[in-house]
Amino acid sequence: MEFMGDRATLLETGRFVQQHAGNTADVISAADAADTPAASQVDGVGATEGADSVESAGAEERYRRAAESGDTASMSVLGALLMRRGDLDGAEPYLRAATSEGDRAAANNLGVLLHQRGYADEAAGWWRIAAVAGSAAAAHALGRHFRERGDEPAAEYWLRQSAEQGHALGAYALADLLEHRSDVGAERWLRAAAEQGHREAAYRLARALERRAADEARAGGDAGLLVVRTDDGAASAADGACASPGGRDSGAPSGRAGPEDQAGPEPTTLDEAAQWYRQAAARGHRRAALHLGAILEKRGELKEAGRWYLTSAKDGEARAACALGFLLRDAGDEESAAVWWLRAAQEGDGNAANALGAWHAARGEQQTAERWYRAAMDAGDVNGAYNLGLLCAAQDRTAQAEQWYRRAAYAGHREAANALAVLLLQSGDATGAEPWFSKAAEAGSVDAAFNLGILHVGRDDDRTALVWYARAAAAGHTEAALQVGIALLRDGDDRAAERHLRCAAGGGSPEAAFRLATLLDSRQPPPGAPALGETPAEKSECEEWYERAAEQGHRRAQVRVGMLAAARGDMAEADRWYREAAEAGSRNGAFNLGLLLAREGNEREAALWWTRAARAGHGRAALRLALLAARRGELTEGQRWCARAVELGPAEVAERAARLRDALHQELTA
């Protein structure tokens, strides 16, 4: 059909400009279609606004009588009502009649009717007529028509006309077009549509803001990116000398900004994203509810996060069901967690299948666990193969474990590559292990970087080992930080060593805590005798680190804490720590405990601990036993312990023991 001229001509003739009943039919689709982004949906389908206001008892009959008497507005509204009801044959004559009289809304809805019947070109002609006359809905439909045909310049022109008139669907469709072209103007129109209640626009605006917040976090050095929660469900596995394959990370909750109407920090980009997610979720958008739950969980608002996860999961979002399962597990309700994981896994969520497999593995149900790990793998989750490897390794099925580790490693799973390398190294294949360690480390596996350090130490290549230790330490690996600290101490760089030892000690390494305490202790002046009536000084930082190491079972630290307690006059505390160290096998602890007991007059028990220490190689303990035997007149026994002390040393002890041995010999031969 021919188009009926441009906007100026139409306005000059006075056609397509009259307003009636608030242009009821012209906005027929604004409510129901507001959340449908598909390019195939056109304005006019599923009318509610306006139509609802006239659908009452007898209304259709009144409009029909008025239409038959020639009332244009009634023809337009009646045609819209019939079209909404699905009576296209009944609607078309009324819409055509109203259109011929210049009704803009009828022209738009006639275009919708023709589009539904497959006459896209004729529909576009009527939409153009209505759009030129000022119909935002028609401009939106026309813009989408051109986009479907690949004519983006024409599509942008008409969509912009619709958007600038405040049409939510037009603004959303324009934003979608601009976003497809990576145009920065897309956000403006997403925001315009979202502000008018378009839920998909609100969701996509929130996604854009969340991505921007992640970029800002990365630029600010914050590695804690906000993502929908995942968990590979892997069981832990000990790997001997090398670090075990990694497990799940869990980010600490971030603080929540205060409401806008109160004094406090300015809302962040992520706060705004959460607001738009909330708006979309409140209108039934299940993915928005999922992402809102993730933000709230990250902030530590677990109860509200759970509510949104539940809402999303009930609407069929498998990822929300999976995340809800993790939330329930962390709260201690593993049975309920398994119910939601099962629901998500049955919908094809590989992450949930992994978690379900781990749950069954922890209950000793290995076959069921293996079935779910395979389901995760079938769903495309490479963690399934990795977890199958862990399961087989825990059952000493080494060949099968290697098979699954290889499958996951070839798919890019860095911890599987590390676990495969550990397996190869344990079987004596260091040459085969090294490339997998390197691949895993380059992909970001901290354990693999540490294990490469161990590998190079075994080859006496300390320089390369230190490079890998430093890399792992920079990523927070406790044992790697300890090794770097030890190397720096050996090189005399105490300040740099202290930084690494603090990191390792803070990460829970008792050896690092002991070495840090020793370093701090070496900088302190020797304590003087307390003045009469002087209040005992508070514990120094080095003593606190000694105690932390001692409490974690570090025997040398326990001996040192005992010595510090004895120096303070707290003999009960000294006895406790000496005894704990001695019972754990510390020969110094046994020797010092013997000294303490001897001072208290308990030489019999002291002799027992000195004997234990001497048999473990403590020369001073052997000398004490020799002296004790000499005082008792047990000269032969004394000679025997003297010989042992001479053998063990150190030089000063050996010299004294030799003199005592000679004296005992003279006594025996006199």
Side-chain angles (χ1 to χ4, degrees), residues 339-388:
V339 170
W340 287 105
W341 284 331
L342 177 61
R343 181 167 175 173
Q346 288 173 338
E347 293 295 323
D349 189 286
N351 194 32
N354 271 316
L356 202 55
W359 184 72
H360 283 289
R363 293 160 64 93
E365 300 165 358
Q366 307 300 328
Q367 290 184 339
T368 307
E370 185 169 338
R371 179 167 62 85
W372 283 113
Y373 287 149
R374 288 180 182 273
M377 190 172 59
D378 293 341
D381 192 325
V382 69
N383 282 319
Y386 172 56
N387 287 339
L388 278 169

Side-chain angles (χ1 to χ4, degrees), residues 106-413:
N108 174 55
N109 288 329
L110 179 58
V112 173
L113 185 147
L114 293 168
H115 187 275
Q116 289 180 357
R117 285 185 163 174
Y119 302 114
D121 291 334
E122 188 179 356
W126 290 112
W127 283 330
R128 181 183 289 270
I129 291 169
V132 170
S135 170
H140 163 245
L142 188 59
R144 288 174 59 167
H145 167 81
F146 281 119
R147 188 175 182 190
E148 286 174 359
R149 279 153 179 74
D151 187 352
E152 289 197 1
E156 182 179 353
Y157 173 80
W158 289 110
L159 290 176
R160 196 173 292 277
Q161 294 294 319
S162 175
E164 289 176 349
Q165 293 180 64
H167 194 273
L169 290 173
Y172 176 76
L174 176 59
D176 186 68
L177 177 63
L178 295 175
E179 191 173 68
H180 174 71
R181 298 202 309 238
S182 300
D183 190 315
V184 294
E187 185 178 319
R188 170 196 171 192
W189 294 110
L190 277 178
R191 190 178 296 276
E195 287 172 349
Q196 295 179 68
H198 193 296
R199 74 175 187 184
E200 187 67 26
Y203 170 72
R204 289 178 64 175
L205 176 59
R207 293 290 292 144
L209 291 168
E210 187 176 1
R211 284 192 293 270
R212 185 188 304 165
D215 291 340
E216 291 170 356
R218 278 191 292 267
D222 182 1
L225 302 182
L226 185 66
V227 293
V228 173
R229 185 177 186 177
T230 60
D231 194 326
D232 61 18
S236 61
D239 291 312
C242 293
S244 62
R248 173 174 169 258
D249 291 332
S250 58
S254 60
R256 185 177 187 180
E260 292 183 4
D261 59 347
Q262 296 180 7
E266 288 295 323
T268 65
T269 305
L270 194 57
D271 291 330
E272 187 180 2
Q275 291 171 5
W276 288 114
Y277 278 138
R278 191 181 297 276
Q279 177 171 309
R283 292 173 61 84
H285 198 295
R286 69 187 192 187
R287 284 172 296 163
L290 167 66
H291 285 276
L292 177 58
I295 290 176
L296 293 168
E297 183 183 359
K298 184 79 172 179
R299 291 173 173 172
E301 300 174 37
L302 303 183
K303 188 173 182 180
E304 189 177 359
R307 285 200 298 268
W308 286 112
Y309 282 149
L310 180 61
T311 298
S312 181
K314 285 182 175 179
D315 286 341
E317 181 59 55
R319 289 178 298 167
C322 181
L324 180 59
F326 287 125
L327 211 58
L328 290 166
R329 182 201 64 181
D330 292 347
D333 189 356
E334 292 193 351
E335 296 292 335
S336 297
V339 170
W340 287 105
W341 284 331
L342 177 61
R343 181 167 175 173
Q346 288 173 338
E347 293 295 323
D349 189 286
N351 194 32
N354 271 316
L356 202 55
W359 184 72
H360 283 289
R363 293 160 64 93
E365 300 165 358
Q366 307 300 328
Q367 290 184 339
T368 307
E370 185 169 338
R371 179 167 62 85
W372 283 113
Y373 287 149
R374 288 180 182 273
M377 190 172 59
D378 293 341
D381 192 325
V382 69
N383 282 319
Y386 172 56
N387 287 339
L388 278 169
L390 290 174
L391 192 67
C392 292
Q395 297 171 345
D396 294 325
R397 294 156 57 193
T398 306
Q400 292 92 331
E402 181 178 340
Q403 170 194 347
W404 293 117
Y405 285 151
R406 282 189 185 277
R407 181 164 180 172
Y410 277 120
H413 195 294

